[in-house]
Amino acid sequence: MHILLKGKFPKIAGQVLLGLSLLGIQHTYAQKSTSHSPYSQFGLGQMREDLLPQTRAMGGISTGVRNLNGFPTLNIANPASYSALTRTVMDAGLYGNFTQLSKDQSSDHTADFAFSHLAIAVPLSKFGGMAFGLLPYSDVGYSATSSHAIDSLKYKTLSIGEGGVNKAFVGYGVSPLKGLSIGANVGFLFGNLYDITRVEFPTTAGAYQTQQKTTRNINGATLDYGVQYSKAIGRKHNFTIGYSGSLNNRITAKTNRMVTISEPNFEEDYEAPPLDTTSMFTVGNHKLNLPLKHNIGVTLSKGYNWMIGADFKYADWSKYQTREGESQLGKSYGFALGGQIKPDPTSPRYLNQVDYRLGFRYNKTAVMYRNNQINDMAVSVGLGLPLPQSNFGRTFSQVNISAEFGQQGSMKNNLVRERYININLGFTINDSWFIRRSLD
């Protein structure tokens, strides 16, 4: 006879959901920002794509990615890929950023680390597959200082941006026809973005400093969708073409403003607590149009051995409601090229079983600053480090590491050049949660 072994699914699922909630709360309230880009002051900040370390290491190709190492993979960027799932996949990771900002003859260095993602995907046999999780959507992190004088009174103003927006999602993918898959992700955005303006009097003893803090509380639902068509070429190769996109979803930004005064403070990295609040009011609720996105991607792979691919991306931010005094956003275009290779999956040597990944991406961003288009480009590298299999080969794990070496902006026309290294570390578990066994 046959018995369906459910294992510890309810217990594991409950623990995962609890952990997901706790991580989301910690990320929302404890983290200020993982961005140190002056260009994050525009729109909703520095956008973080729905990419895991596996695809980030290949330049960010994702639209046509369905399998890695000959096995279906969790690919949040195109929910059509969920229909290929054959094992339960759990993926969690951390993110690190090292940035050098340069302008004229001066430069500054910053670093940050934070939670990057937690995602779970579950196969549903002939009914496709589903996934859910939590990851960053965007973050803000900038700081600028300028000095002024009125007669003999000297003062300086500081403009600071902090905060981030998170995305919780659930998605489903199914294959209605052989080779063809469709899917969609429903997401919920939530988080706070802070824009702070502070006035200090460094040479005037006893002068109170004034701070205006504007808080944008972001929340709303999003819908992303995707299509993939996959076909075998000969006996060893496979070709996949994919499309993914999103509607120009509308979300809400509730804006509050508070003005406070505090005692003078001249210690670096210390913020004096406010003495009094001079005003506090709600600016209002505003609807924001997120961009209409279109992505097209292709991949060509040979089983466990290698995969190459390319993505072309477009997003229209022109209908996004910018704030007063903020430059209007435009359209962004980009492409990504990348791939991976496993030297010999049957070799007893560990280094021959490692996935080696390489990629390149270029983006013409939606930001136009001082009549200059801000472009972003990066070279990416990465490793997929397999861990020993267990449960008679039904459970296998991998540590995925990616590094992006990039530059955004330039030093021309009095702009800021941002050079960065983004490190992503992910841990992936592939497991068979539901299996049938025969008992004699």
Side-chain angles (χ1 to χ4, degrees):
M1 63 178 177
H2 293 85
I3 299 177
L4 180 63
L5 298 182
K6 296 185 178 180
K8 299 180 180 179
F9 175 77
K11 181 179 179 180
I12 294 174
Q15 292 174 343
V16 167
L17 287 172
L18 177 60
L20 181 65
S21 303
L22 293 175
L23 278 172
I25 293 171
Q26 179 182 5
H27 179 64
T28 303
Y29 294 102
Q31 177 191 325
K32 289 187 176 181
S33 177
T34 56
S35 174
H36 294 282
S37 172
Y39 304 110
S40 67
Q41 63 184 290
F42 301 102
L44 292 176
Q46 196 86 347
M47 305 304 297
R48 307 296 184 192
E49 296 184 276
D50 297 343
L51 301 175
L52 302 184
Q54 299 90 304
T55 49
R56 285 191 185 276
M58 298 184 288
I61 62 169
S62 56
T63 313
V65 173
R66 188 172 180 84
N67 299 284
L68 287 177
N69 312 317
F71 293 101
T73 187
L74 172 55
N75 178 15
I76 303 170
N78 192 336
S81 65
Y82 302 158
S83 66
L85 293 168
T86 56
R87 285 176 168 82
T88 297
V89 182
M90 303 177 65
D91 205 306
L94 300 173
Y95 166 80
N97 171 266
F98 305 88
T99 304
Q100 180 195 58
L101 301 176
S102 301
K103 182 179 181 181
D104 299 328
Q105 302 299 318
S106 61
S107 63
D108 187 26
H109 297 79
T110 59
D112 230 324
F113 300 89
F115 155 80
S116 64
H117 68 277
L118 177 60
I120 301 155
V122 181
L124 302 176
S125 187
K126 62 181 180 179
F127 300 105
M130 65 172 295
F132 57 94
L134 177 71
L135 64 162
Y137 182 79
S138 70
D139 51 41
V140 172
Y142 65 87
S143 178
T145 303
S146 58
S147 299
H148 310 272
I150 302 177
D151 296 330
S152 61
L153 179 63
K154 296 181 180 181
Y155 67 97
K156 65 177 182 179
T157 60
L158 293 85
S159 298
I160 303 170
E162 298 175 345
V165 179
N166 308 294
K167 179 181 180 180
F169 76 94
V170 59
Y172 175 72
V174 66
S175 179
L177 299 172
K178 182 179 180 180
L180 178 67
S181 300
I182 59 175
N185 285 326
V186 176
F188 180 73
L189 304 184
F190 61 98
N192 293 319
L193 304 178
Y194 305 99
D195 299 291
I196 302 168
T197 301
R198 190 179 300 153
V199 179
E200 299 178 351
F201 302 89
T203 61
T204 305
Y208 290 156
Q209 59 186 32
T210 304
Q211 175 178 288
Q212 175 180 280
K213 185 175 185 178
T214 302
T215 302
R216 289 176 287 161
N217 178 257
I218 306 295
N219 63 81
T222 64
L223 176 66
D224 307 315
Y225 46 85
V227 180
Q228 286 184 335
Y229 178 76
S230 187
K231 182 176 178 59
I233 302 177
R235 299 178 60 184
K236 297 182 178 181
H237 298 85
N238 190 81
F239 174 79
T240 302
I241 182 170
Y243 164 81
S244 65
S246 68
L247 304 174
N248 51 345
N249 302 289
R250 288 172 65 86
I251 59 174
T252 302
K254 181 179 180 181
T255 305
N256 298 306
R257 187 166 295 156
M258 180 172 63
V259 180
T260 60
I261 58 173
S262 58
E263 292 182 344
N265 169 62
F266 306 109
E267 295 183 22
E268 191 175 359
D269 299 328
Y270 174 76
E271 182 178 338
L275 292 174
D276 193 13
T277 300
T278 59
S279 67
M280 182 171 58
F281 58 94
T282 299
V283 177
N285 295 343
H286 304 281
K287 292 294 183 179
L288 301 177
N289 287 320
L290 296 181
L292 183 70
K293 295 182 180 180
H294 300 288
N295 307 310
I296 297 175
V298 295
T299 58
L300 178 65
S301 61
K302 180 185 177 183
Y304 300 92
N305 299 103
W306 55 263
M307 184 188 75
I308 56 174
D311 267 31
F312 302 90
K313 303 180 181 183
Y314 165 83
D316 184 2
W317 284 88
S318 60
K319 294 184 179 179
Y320 178 84
Q321 293 85 350
T322 55
R323 293 163 293 169
E324 183 179 355
E326 182 180 339
S327 300
Q328 185 68 36
L329 300 178
K331 299 177 181 180
S332 67
Y333 306 85
F335 70 88
L337 304 170
Q340 74 167 34
I341 184 171
K342 186 194 294 286
D344 185 358
T346 63
S347 172
R349 295 186 59 192
Y350 182 79
L351 292 180
N352 287 338
Q353 300 179 34
V354 173
D355 297 315
Y356 299 90
R357 297 164 179 149
L358 179 67
F360 173 79
R361 61 174 172 82
Y362 177 87
N363 294 304
K364 174 186 173 185
T365 74
V367 177
M368 178 74 71
Y369 186 53
R370 295 176 180 171
N371 296 320
N372 289 272
Q373 184 73 46
I374 305 302
N375 298 322
D376 181 24
M377 66 184 75
V379 173
S380 59
V381 295
L383 297 172
L385 305 173
L387 300 178
Q389 297 184 7
S390 61
N391 196 19
F392 301 100
R394 289 192 295 268
T395 302
F396 55 95
S397 306
Q398 189 174 55
V399 175
N400 295 289
I401 304 171
S402 71
E404 296 176 292
F405 304 87
Q407 176 176 308
Q408 185 171 210
S410 69
M411 296 177 64
K412 298 179 180 179
N413 302 315
N414 202 34
L415 296 177
V416 176
R417 182 186 67 195
E418 176 188 347
R419 287 180 172 170
Y420 58 83
I421 302 175
N422 294 333
I423 305 293
N424 282 270
L425 174 65
F427 182 70
T428 307
I429 300 176
N430 297 268
D431 196 5
S432 298
W433 279 9
F434 301 96
I435 58 174
R436 290 182 179 271
R437 293 178 179 173
S438 297
L439 300 180
D440 295 329

